[in-house]
RNA sequence: GCCCCCAUCGUCUAGUGGCCCAGGACGAAGCCCUCUCAAGGCUUAAACCGGGAUUCGAAUUCCCGUGGGGGCACCA
């Protein structure tokens, strides 16, 4: 079976932060293109000047690169189908609007916005569905031409058939049939000369030879319109694939500002730019979002290469998916365990530096095996390994007192441990652990009581990587110094 | 209000008429391992929205409800 190379595109608007939904569609686009030996394209849909926000475009570039979804063509990489920013393609859309006017599929409309608003209100009052009333649809072509020549402001509207139905075919959902009278004479070209999405996307997808259009299900409503526009041009349709939207964790409705803020409070985000800062990996984020809307039978932990191997648009699902951040944790943690030690060390380093720690590369490499399976996010390395890079640890005195014992008894344990450990030639764990275990045996105390005191003394925390392996890396001198310090604290209680 | 889409464990999903008293994963519970915390191993609970129809046989096809989602801009 031969597969034709697919050309896919992600076409975000630079109107806000790049979010998870965009990342997921981009992933599927990327997988489909790469799997078939085709191209993945980035196109910026910036035709709404009022909503464009500075920096949003750069955030998209950065987000896609961070995810590893490098596009073959785009505003900042070029390509032979450019420009890839819609505001730079204004003339192309105007020419195409003209084609539609000339072949009777569209018409200039001179209606002023305030009149349109009034019409809409009247229709609402009569409980009719809001729609353009068709005033300019019946204008004689020569009169329209005259008014344009006179410099009157106008838009171009699509001449939607009044009768019959439109059948549009979605690859996942099959035929979608809608009565044409439900559709409006939508504006294709705005009075500022820029196109609306409806014209711009259709023209660009054709001009850029896009074979598969993957987009959100919010486009399903105007899908038949888009199909009609393609047909009015006499073009072949791409394969249409409408993915469903993400729902908020409760499953009730899509992510709102409130939900987004709530997620942030829990250390999660739906904005790609936040992911790195929160300690998530591209691998984890990709794997997680891939599986919301794509079913794989088993073994769902996948690298991008493995996803590439298994991906098929036929495996995509049309039903809405609730965001589940616990799964993000799972995939992120799992991928962290898959990284090589040197790779992981390199990824951890920035977080340690961000914390103001002096990172010793050799030590970092040595602690990787100790902390790796404890990390859910990359920045967890601070909690599990920050003490390796500090000269002194600060600790809560009460943590030094073992359960069931008092300060005096705890101090005694610390002194005895100091004695045992200071007698050692080296602090390697193979040498340190047996005598300490022997001490536990002879003391009649609980192992947790004794090791717990030393753990807090040496690491400054009640939870840490394995004690003796940690002490080996910290080194004898520093360990003894910290225990001595702990004894001092205990004696003062 | 009108239109469109969707519907399997709490969540993401497998399942394309018999292999399903429905499989996997996250999460939950229990046990094992264990110096804390993890990781790992084993085990358990947990679903085909309801009703009709087609069929020898339906989670799987069709219809009707119900529920959920999306849309109805000179926004995308």
């Amino acid at each position: 079976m031969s597969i034709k190379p697919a050309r896919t595109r992600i076409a975000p608007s630079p109107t806000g932060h790049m979010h998870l939904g965009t990342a997921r569609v981009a992933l599927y686009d990327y997988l489909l293109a790469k799997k078939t030996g085709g191209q993945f394209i980035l196109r910026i849909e910036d035709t709404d000047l009022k909503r464009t926000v500075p920096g949003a475009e750069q955030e998209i570039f950065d987000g896609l690169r961070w995810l590893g979804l490098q596009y073959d063509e785009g505003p900042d990489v070029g390509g032979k189908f450019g420009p890839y920013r819609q505001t730079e393609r204004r003339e192309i859309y105007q020419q195409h609007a003209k084609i539609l006017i000339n072949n009777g599929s569209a018409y200039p409309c001179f209606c002023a916005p305030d009149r349109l608003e009034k019409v809409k209100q009247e229709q609402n009052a009569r409980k009719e569905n809001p729609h353009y009333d068709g005033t300019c649809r019946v204008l004689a072509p020569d009169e329209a031409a005259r008014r344009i020549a006179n410099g009157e402001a106008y838009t171009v509207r699509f001449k939607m058939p009044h009768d019959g139905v439109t059948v549009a075919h979605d690859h996942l959902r099959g035929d979608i049939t809608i009565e044409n009278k439900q559709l409006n004479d939508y504006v294709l070209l705005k009075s500022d000369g820029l196109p609306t999405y409806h014209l711009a996307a259709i023209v660009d997808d054709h001009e850029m030879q896009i074979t598969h259009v993957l987009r959100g299900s919010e486009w399903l409503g105007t899908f038949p319109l888009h199909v009609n526009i393609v047909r009015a041009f006499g073009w072949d349709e791409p394969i249409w694939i409408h993915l469903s939207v993400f729902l908020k964790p409760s499953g009730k409705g899509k992510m709102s500002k409130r939900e987004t803020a709530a997620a942030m409070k829990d250390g999660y985000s739906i904005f790609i730019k936040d992911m790195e800062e929160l300690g998530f990996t591209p691998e984890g984020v990709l794997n997680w979002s891939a599986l919301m809307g794509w079913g794989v039978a088993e073994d769902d932990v996948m690298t991008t290469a493995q996803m590439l191997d298994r991906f098929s648009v036929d495996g995509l699902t049309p039903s809405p998916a609730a965001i589940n951040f616990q799964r993000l944790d799972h995939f992120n943690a799992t991928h962290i365990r898959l990284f090589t030690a040197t790779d992981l060390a390199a990824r951890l380093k920035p977080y340690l530096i961000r914390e103001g720690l002096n990172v010793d590369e050799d030590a970092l490499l040595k602690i990787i095996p100790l902390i790796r399976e404890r990390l859910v996010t990359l920045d967890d390395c601070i909690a599990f390994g920050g003490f390796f890079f500090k000269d002194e640890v600060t600790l809560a005195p009460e943590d030094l007192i073992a359960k069931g014992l008092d300060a005096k008894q705890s101090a005694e344990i610390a002194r005895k441990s100091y004695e045992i450990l200071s007698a050692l030639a080296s602090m390697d764990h193979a040498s340190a652990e047996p005598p300490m275990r022997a001490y536990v045996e002879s003391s009649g105390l609980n192992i947790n009581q004794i090791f717990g005191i030393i753990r807090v003394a040496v690491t400054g925390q009640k939870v840490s990587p394995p004690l003796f392996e940690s002490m080996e890396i910290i080194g004898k001198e520093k360990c003894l110094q910290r225990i001595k310090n702990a004894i001092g604290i205990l004696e003062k209680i």
Side-chain angles (χ1 to χ4, degrees), chain A residues 84-131:
Chain A
Y84 294 91
R85 232 178 243 115
Q86 290 185 327
T87 46
E88 294 168 16
R89 301 170 62 80
R90 174 188 286 256
E91 288 74 23
I92 297 172
Y93 308 120
Q94 290 174 350
Q95 283 163 17
H96 281 85
K98 212 164 283 171
I99 291 172
L100 256 21
I101 292 173
N102 290 340
N103 76 185
S105 305
Y107 58 91
C109 172
F110 303 92
C111 296
D114 52 346
R115 192 190 83 79
L116 262 17
E117 185 54 35
K118 230 177 83 189
V119 169
K120 194 199 275 181
Q121 277 171 13
E122 285 165 8
Q123 288 167 340
N124 269 331
R126 277 179 272 138
K127 295 203 191 291
E128 283 175 31
N129 291 330
H131 61 280

Short mmCIF file of all heavy atoms in Angstrom, two decimals, chain A residues 84-131:
data_model
loop_
_atom_site.label_atom_id
_atom_site.label_comp_id
_atom_site.label_asym_id
_atom_site.label_seq_id
_atom_site.Cartn_x
_atom_site.Cartn_y
_atom_site.Cartn_z
N TYR A 84 3.80 33.11 4.91
CA TYR A 84 3.04 32.24 5.81
C TYR A 84 2.31 33.01 6.91
O TYR A 84 1.89 32.43 7.90
CB TYR A 84 3.96 31.18 6.41
CG TYR A 84 4.47 30.22 5.36
CD1 TYR A 84 5.66 30.47 4.69
CD2 TYR A 84 3.71 29.11 4.99
CE1 TYR A 84 6.11 29.61 3.69
CE2 TYR A 84 4.16 28.24 3.99
CZ TYR A 84 5.36 28.50 3.35
OH TYR A 84 5.79 27.66 2.36
N ARG A 85 2.25 34.32 6.70
CA ARG A 85 1.49 35.16 7.61
C ARG A 85 0.35 35.74 6.78
O ARG A 85 0.59 36.33 5.73
CB ARG A 85 2.40 36.29 8.09
CG ARG A 85 2.47 36.47 9.58
CD ARG A 85 3.45 37.58 9.92
NE ARG A 85 4.58 37.09 10.69
CZ ARG A 85 5.83 37.08 10.27
NH1 ARG A 85 6.14 37.54 9.06
NH2 ARG A 85 6.79 36.63 11.04
N GLN A 86 -0.87 35.59 7.24
CA GLN A 86 -1.98 35.97 6.37
C GLN A 86 -2.05 37.46 6.07
O GLN A 86 -2.51 37.85 5.01
CB GLN A 86 -3.30 35.46 6.96
CG GLN A 86 -3.39 33.94 6.88
CD GLN A 86 -4.72 33.39 7.34
OE1 GLN A 86 -5.35 33.94 8.23
NE2 GLN A 86 -5.14 32.28 6.75
N THR A 87 -1.60 38.28 7.00
CA THR A 87 -1.62 39.72 6.71
C THR A 87 -0.68 40.07 5.56
O THR A 87 -0.80 41.12 4.96
CB THR A 87 -1.20 40.55 7.95
OG1 THR A 87 -0.03 39.97 8.52
CG2 THR A 87 -2.31 40.57 8.98
N GLU A 88 0.23 39.16 5.24
CA GLU A 88 1.14 39.42 4.13
C GLU A 88 0.60 38.83 2.82
O GLU A 88 1.28 38.85 1.80
CB GLU A 88 2.52 38.83 4.44
CG GLU A 88 3.20 39.52 5.61
CD GLU A 88 4.44 38.76 6.10
OE1 GLU A 88 4.93 37.88 5.38
OE2 GLU A 88 4.88 39.07 7.23
N ARG A 89 -0.61 38.31 2.88
CA ARG A 89 -1.19 37.67 1.70
C ARG A 89 -2.47 38.36 1.24
O ARG A 89 -3.26 37.80 0.47
CB ARG A 89 -1.49 36.19 2.03
CG ARG A 89 -0.27 35.41 2.45
CD ARG A 89 -0.63 34.04 2.99
NE ARG A 89 -1.27 33.18 2.01
CZ ARG A 89 -0.63 32.51 1.06
NH1 ARG A 89 0.68 32.60 0.96
NH2 ARG A 89 -1.29 31.76 0.19
N ARG A 90 -2.65 39.56 1.73
CA ARG A 90 -3.85 40.34 1.48
C ARG A 90 -4.30 40.33 0.00
O ARG A 90 -5.46 40.09 -0.31
CB ARG A 90 -3.53 41.76 1.96
CG ARG A 90 -4.52 42.81 1.70
CD ARG A 90 -3.91 44.17 2.09
NE ARG A 90 -3.82 44.36 3.51
CZ ARG A 90 -4.64 45.15 4.24
NH1 ARG A 90 -5.58 45.80 3.68
NH2 ARG A 90 -4.50 45.27 5.52
N GLU A 91 -3.36 40.57 -0.92
CA GLU A 91 -3.74 40.65 -2.34
C GLU A 91 -4.27 39.32 -2.85
O GLU A 91 -5.16 39.27 -3.69
CB GLU A 91 -2.55 41.09 -3.20
CG GLU A 91 -2.16 42.55 -3.04
CD GLU A 91 -1.43 42.81 -1.72
OE1 GLU A 91 -0.85 41.84 -1.16
OE2 GLU A 91 -1.46 43.96 -1.23
N ILE A 92 -3.68 38.26 -2.35
CA ILE A 92 -4.12 36.93 -2.79
C ILE A 92 -5.60 36.74 -2.47
O ILE A 92 -6.38 36.28 -3.30
CB ILE A 92 -3.28 35.83 -2.10
CG1 ILE A 92 -1.82 35.96 -2.52
CG2 ILE A 92 -3.83 34.44 -2.42
CD1 ILE A 92 -0.87 35.04 -1.76
N TYR A 93 -6.00 37.16 -1.26
CA TYR A 93 -7.40 36.98 -0.88
C TYR A 93 -8.31 37.89 -1.69
O TYR A 93 -9.42 37.50 -2.07
CB TYR A 93 -7.58 37.26 0.62
CG TYR A 93 -6.61 36.48 1.48
CD1 TYR A 93 -5.71 37.12 2.32
CD2 TYR A 93 -6.60 35.08 1.43
CE1 TYR A 93 -4.81 36.42 3.09
CE2 TYR A 93 -5.69 34.37 2.21
CZ TYR A 93 -4.80 35.05 3.04
OH TYR A 93 -3.91 34.35 3.80
N GLN A 94 -7.83 39.10 -1.95
CA GLN A 94 -8.66 40.03 -2.71
C GLN A 94 -8.88 39.51 -4.13
O GLN A 94 -9.99 39.60 -4.66
CB GLN A 94 -7.99 41.41 -2.71
CG GLN A 94 -8.07 42.04 -1.32
CD GLN A 94 -7.31 43.34 -1.18
OE1 GLN A 94 -6.55 43.71 -2.07
NE2 GLN A 94 -7.52 44.02 -0.07
N GLN A 95 -7.83 38.95 -4.71
CA GLN A 95 -7.99 38.36 -6.04
C GLN A 95 -9.00 37.23 -6.02
O GLN A 95 -9.84 37.09 -6.91
CB GLN A 95 -6.64 37.80 -6.54
CG GLN A 95 -5.67 38.86 -7.03
CD GLN A 95 -4.25 38.31 -7.13
OE1 GLN A 95 -4.06 37.08 -7.13
NE2 GLN A 95 -3.28 39.20 -7.19
N HIS A 96 -8.91 36.43 -4.98
CA HIS A 96 -9.82 35.28 -4.91
C HIS A 96 -11.25 35.71 -4.63
O HIS A 96 -12.20 35.08 -5.11
CB HIS A 96 -9.32 34.27 -3.88
CG HIS A 96 -8.22 33.42 -4.40
ND1 HIS A 96 -6.89 33.81 -4.37
CD2 HIS A 96 -8.23 32.22 -5.02
CE1 HIS A 96 -6.14 32.87 -4.92
NE2 HIS A 96 -6.93 31.90 -5.33
N ALA A 97 -11.41 36.77 -3.88
CA ALA A 97 -12.76 37.29 -3.65
C ALA A 97 -13.35 37.74 -4.99
O ALA A 97 -14.53 37.53 -5.29
CB ALA A 97 -12.71 38.45 -2.67
N LYS A 98 -12.50 38.33 -5.79
CA LYS A 98 -12.93 38.80 -7.11
C LYS A 98 -13.37 37.62 -7.98
O LYS A 98 -14.39 37.69 -8.68
CB LYS A 98 -11.78 39.57 -7.77
CG LYS A 98 -12.25 40.69 -8.68
CD LYS A 98 -11.11 41.67 -8.99
CE LYS A 98 -10.81 42.63 -7.84
NZ LYS A 98 -9.59 43.43 -8.06
N ILE A 99 -12.62 36.56 -7.92
CA ILE A 99 -12.98 35.37 -8.71
C ILE A 99 -14.39 34.91 -8.33
O ILE A 99 -15.22 34.61 -9.19
CB ILE A 99 -11.96 34.22 -8.44
CG1 ILE A 99 -10.60 34.59 -9.04
CG2 ILE A 99 -12.48 32.91 -9.01
CD1 ILE A 99 -9.48 33.62 -8.67
N LEU A 100 -14.65 34.91 -7.03
CA LEU A 100 -15.95 34.45 -6.55
C LEU A 100 -17.07 35.41 -6.97
O LEU A 100 -18.19 34.99 -7.29
CB LEU A 100 -15.92 34.30 -5.03
CG LEU A 100 -15.82 32.90 -4.41
CD1 LEU A 100 -15.28 31.85 -5.33
CD2 LEU A 100 -15.09 32.93 -3.10
N ILE A 101 -16.78 36.69 -6.95
CA ILE A 101 -17.78 37.66 -7.40
C ILE A 101 -18.07 37.45 -8.89
O ILE A 101 -19.22 37.39 -9.32
CB ILE A 101 -17.29 39.11 -7.17
CG1 ILE A 101 -17.22 39.40 -5.67
CG2 ILE A 101 -18.23 40.12 -7.85
CD1 ILE A 101 -16.58 40.74 -5.32
N ASN A 102 -16.99 37.27 -9.64
CA ASN A 102 -17.15 37.13 -11.08
C ASN A 102 -17.88 35.85 -11.48
O ASN A 102 -18.59 35.84 -12.48
CB ASN A 102 -15.78 37.16 -11.77
CG ASN A 102 -15.18 38.56 -11.72
OD1 ASN A 102 -15.91 39.54 -11.50
ND2 ASN A 102 -13.87 38.67 -11.88
N ASN A 103 -17.71 34.81 -10.69
CA ASN A 103 -18.43 33.59 -11.10
C ASN A 103 -19.78 33.45 -10.36
O ASN A 103 -20.40 32.39 -10.35
CB ASN A 103 -17.54 32.34 -10.95
CG ASN A 103 -17.37 31.89 -9.50
OD1 ASN A 103 -16.63 30.99 -9.19
ND2 ASN A 103 -18.06 32.53 -8.59
N GLY A 104 -20.19 34.54 -9.75
CA GLY A 104 -21.54 34.57 -9.18
C GLY A 104 -21.67 33.89 -7.82
O GLY A 104 -22.78 33.67 -7.33
N SER A 105 -20.55 33.58 -7.15
CA SER A 105 -20.62 32.90 -5.86
C SER A 105 -20.54 33.87 -4.68
O SER A 105 -20.71 33.46 -3.53
CB SER A 105 -19.48 31.90 -5.73
OG SER A 105 -19.50 31.01 -6.82
N ALA A 106 -20.26 35.12 -4.99
CA ALA A 106 -20.13 36.09 -3.91
C ALA A 106 -20.54 37.45 -4.45
O ALA A 106 -20.67 37.64 -5.66
CB ALA A 106 -18.68 36.14 -3.41
N TYR A 107 -20.75 38.39 -3.52
CA TYR A 107 -21.18 39.71 -3.97
C TYR A 107 -20.71 40.77 -2.98
O TYR A 107 -20.54 40.49 -1.79
CB TYR A 107 -22.70 39.75 -4.12
CG TYR A 107 -23.46 39.42 -2.84
CD1 TYR A 107 -23.84 40.42 -1.94
CD2 TYR A 107 -23.78 38.10 -2.53
CE1 TYR A 107 -24.54 40.11 -0.78
CE2 TYR A 107 -24.46 37.78 -1.37
CZ TYR A 107 -24.84 38.79 -0.49
OH TYR A 107 -25.51 38.47 0.66
N PRO A 108 -20.51 41.99 -3.49
CA PRO A 108 -20.12 43.07 -2.59
C PRO A 108 -21.33 43.50 -1.77
O PRO A 108 -22.45 43.47 -2.27
CB PRO A 108 -19.71 44.21 -3.54
CG PRO A 108 -19.75 43.63 -4.91
CD PRO A 108 -20.59 42.42 -4.88
N CYS A 109 -21.07 43.85 -0.52
CA CYS A 109 -22.16 44.25 0.36
C CYS A 109 -21.81 45.60 0.98
O CYS A 109 -20.74 45.76 1.57
CB CYS A 109 -22.37 43.20 1.44
SG CYS A 109 -23.52 43.71 2.72
N PHE A 110 -22.73 46.53 0.86
CA PHE A 110 -22.47 47.90 1.32
C PHE A 110 -23.18 48.22 2.63
O PHE A 110 -23.22 49.36 3.06
CB PHE A 110 -22.89 48.89 0.23
CG PHE A 110 -22.19 48.64 -1.08
CD1 PHE A 110 -22.77 47.80 -2.04
CD2 PHE A 110 -20.94 49.19 -1.34
CE1 PHE A 110 -22.11 47.54 -3.24
CE2 PHE A 110 -20.30 48.94 -2.55
CZ PHE A 110 -20.88 48.10 -3.50
N CYS A 111 -23.78 47.21 3.21
CA CYS A 111 -24.55 47.46 4.43
C CYS A 111 -23.63 47.91 5.58
O CYS A 111 -22.58 47.32 5.82
CB CYS A 111 -25.29 46.20 4.85
SG CYS A 111 -26.53 45.70 3.64
N ALA A 112 -24.08 48.94 6.26
CA ALA A 112 -23.29 49.47 7.37
C ALA A 112 -23.49 48.60 8.60
O ALA A 112 -24.56 48.03 8.79
CB ALA A 112 -23.70 50.90 7.66
N PRO A 113 -22.47 48.48 9.43
CA PRO A 113 -22.55 47.64 10.63
C PRO A 113 -23.74 47.99 11.52
O PRO A 113 -24.38 47.08 12.07
CB PRO A 113 -21.23 47.94 11.34
CG PRO A 113 -20.30 48.38 10.28
CD PRO A 113 -21.14 49.08 9.26
N ASP A 114 -24.06 49.26 11.66
CA ASP A 114 -25.16 49.60 12.57
C ASP A 114 -26.50 49.15 12.00
O ASP A 114 -27.40 48.76 12.75
CB ASP A 114 -25.17 51.10 12.90
CG ASP A 114 -25.14 51.97 11.64
OD1 ASP A 114 -24.84 51.43 10.56
OD2 ASP A 114 -25.42 53.16 11.76
N ARG A 115 -26.65 49.17 10.67
CA ARG A 115 -27.89 48.66 10.08
C ARG A 115 -27.99 47.15 10.32
O ARG A 115 -29.04 46.63 10.70
CB ARG A 115 -27.94 48.93 8.58
CG ARG A 115 -29.34 48.68 7.98
CD ARG A 115 -29.36 48.71 6.47
NE ARG A 115 -28.94 47.44 5.86
CZ ARG A 115 -29.74 46.37 5.75
NH1 ARG A 115 -30.97 46.40 6.22
NH2 ARG A 115 -29.29 45.27 5.20
N LEU A 116 -26.88 46.47 10.14
CA LEU A 116 -26.84 45.03 10.36
C LEU A 116 -27.22 44.68 11.80
O LEU A 116 -27.95 43.72 12.04
CB LEU A 116 -25.42 44.51 10.06
CG LEU A 116 -25.11 43.88 8.70
CD1 LEU A 116 -26.13 44.20 7.63
CD2 LEU A 116 -23.72 44.23 8.24
N GLU A 117 -26.72 45.50 12.68
CA GLU A 117 -27.01 45.27 14.09
C GLU A 117 -28.52 45.41 14.36
O GLU A 117 -29.11 44.61 15.08
CB GLU A 117 -26.23 46.29 14.93
CG GLU A 117 -26.34 46.10 16.44
CD GLU A 117 -25.97 44.70 16.90
OE1 GLU A 117 -25.05 44.05 16.31
OE2 GLU A 117 -26.61 44.21 17.85
N LYS A 118 -29.11 46.42 13.73
CA LYS A 118 -30.55 46.65 13.89
C LYS A 118 -31.35 45.47 13.34
O LYS A 118 -32.29 44.99 13.96
CB LYS A 118 -30.95 47.95 13.16
CG LYS A 118 -31.77 48.89 14.04
CD LYS A 118 -32.10 50.18 13.32
CE LYS A 118 -33.33 50.04 12.42
NZ LYS A 118 -33.53 51.22 11.56
N VAL A 119 -30.95 45.02 12.17
CA VAL A 119 -31.62 43.87 11.55
C VAL A 119 -31.57 42.67 12.47
O VAL A 119 -32.57 41.98 12.69
CB VAL A 119 -30.95 43.52 10.19
CG1 VAL A 119 -31.44 42.18 9.68
CG2 VAL A 119 -31.22 44.62 9.17
N LYS A 120 -30.41 42.47 13.04
CA LYS A 120 -30.25 41.31 13.92
C LYS A 120 -31.18 41.41 15.13
O LYS A 120 -31.82 40.43 15.53
CB LYS A 120 -28.79 41.23 14.38
CG LYS A 120 -28.45 39.88 15.00
CD LYS A 120 -27.20 39.92 15.86
CE LYS A 120 -25.93 39.75 15.08
NZ LYS A 120 -24.73 39.76 15.95
N GLN A 121 -31.27 42.62 15.67
CA GLN A 121 -32.14 42.80 16.84
C GLN A 121 -33.60 42.57 16.50
O GLN A 121 -34.35 41.97 17.27
CB GLN A 121 -31.94 44.19 17.42
CG GLN A 121 -30.73 44.26 18.34
CD GLN A 121 -30.38 45.67 18.75
OE1 GLN A 121 -31.16 46.59 18.56
NE2 GLN A 121 -29.19 45.84 19.31
N GLU A 122 -33.99 43.04 15.34
CA GLU A 122 -35.37 42.82 14.90
C GLU A 122 -35.65 41.34 14.73
O GLU A 122 -36.71 40.84 15.11
CB GLU A 122 -35.63 43.57 13.58
CG GLU A 122 -35.77 45.08 13.76
CD GLU A 122 -35.68 45.82 12.43
OE1 GLU A 122 -35.65 45.14 11.37
OE2 GLU A 122 -35.62 47.05 12.47
N GLN A 123 -34.69 40.66 14.15
CA GLN A 123 -34.87 39.21 13.95
C GLN A 123 -34.97 38.50 15.29
O GLN A 123 -35.78 37.59 15.47
CB GLN A 123 -33.71 38.66 13.12
CG GLN A 123 -33.76 39.09 11.66
CD GLN A 123 -32.47 38.80 10.93
OE1 GLN A 123 -31.41 38.64 11.54
NE2 GLN A 123 -32.56 38.76 9.60
N ASN A 124 -34.16 38.94 16.21
CA ASN A 124 -34.21 38.36 17.55
C ASN A 124 -35.57 38.59 18.19
O ASN A 124 -36.14 37.69 18.81
CB ASN A 124 -33.12 38.95 18.43
CG ASN A 124 -31.84 38.13 18.36
OD1 ASN A 124 -31.91 36.92 18.14
ND2 ASN A 124 -30.71 38.78 18.51
N ALA A 125 -36.07 39.81 18.03
CA ALA A 125 -37.37 40.17 18.61
C ALA A 125 -38.46 39.29 18.03
O ALA A 125 -39.41 38.91 18.72
CB ALA A 125 -37.67 41.63 18.36
N ARG A 126 -38.33 38.97 16.75
CA ARG A 126 -39.33 38.11 16.10
C ARG A 126 -39.00 36.62 16.29
O ARG A 126 -39.63 35.76 15.69
CB ARG A 126 -39.38 38.43 14.60
CG ARG A 126 -40.28 39.63 14.27
CD ARG A 126 -40.27 39.93 12.79
NE ARG A 126 -39.19 40.84 12.42
CZ ARG A 126 -38.42 40.71 11.32
NH1 ARG A 126 -38.60 39.68 10.52
NH2 ARG A 126 -37.48 41.59 11.06
N LYS A 127 -37.98 36.37 17.12
CA LYS A 127 -37.54 35.00 17.39
C LYS A 127 -37.13 34.25 16.13
O LYS A 127 -37.32 33.05 16.00
CB LYS A 127 -38.65 34.21 18.12
CG LYS A 127 -38.95 34.75 19.52
CD LYS A 127 -39.58 33.67 20.38
CE LYS A 127 -40.14 34.19 21.67
NZ LYS A 127 -39.23 34.65 22.67
N GLU A 128 -36.59 35.00 15.20
CA GLU A 128 -36.03 34.37 14.01
C GLU A 128 -34.56 34.11 14.25
O GLU A 128 -33.93 34.75 15.09
CB GLU A 128 -36.15 35.31 12.80
CG GLU A 128 -37.53 35.39 12.19
CD GLU A 128 -37.57 36.44 11.09
OE1 GLU A 128 -36.53 36.64 10.43
OE2 GLU A 128 -38.63 37.08 10.92
N ASN A 129 -34.00 33.19 13.47
CA ASN A 129 -32.56 33.01 13.57
C ASN A 129 -31.87 34.20 12.93
O ASN A 129 -32.25 34.63 11.85
CB ASN A 129 -32.14 31.74 12.84
CG ASN A 129 -32.64 30.51 13.58
OD1 ASN A 129 -32.77 30.52 14.80
ND2 ASN A 129 -32.95 29.47 12.84
N PRO A 130 -30.87 34.73 13.59
CA PRO A 130 -30.17 35.87 13.02
C PRO A 130 -29.49 35.48 11.69
O PRO A 130 -28.86 34.44 11.60
CB PRO A 130 -29.13 36.23 14.08
CG PRO A 130 -29.16 35.15 15.08
CD PRO A 130 -30.34 34.30 14.87
N HIS A 131 -29.71 36.30 10.69
CA HIS A 131 -29.05 36.04 9.41
C HIS A 131 -29.02 37.34 8.61
O HIS A 131 -29.83 38.25 8.82
CB HIS A 131 -29.82 34.97 8.62
CG HIS A 131 -31.23 35.37 8.30
ND1 HIS A 131 -32.25 35.27 9.22
CD2 HIS A 131 -31.78 35.90 7.18
CE1 HIS A 131 -33.37 35.70 8.67
NE2 HIS A 131 -33.12 36.10 7.43
#
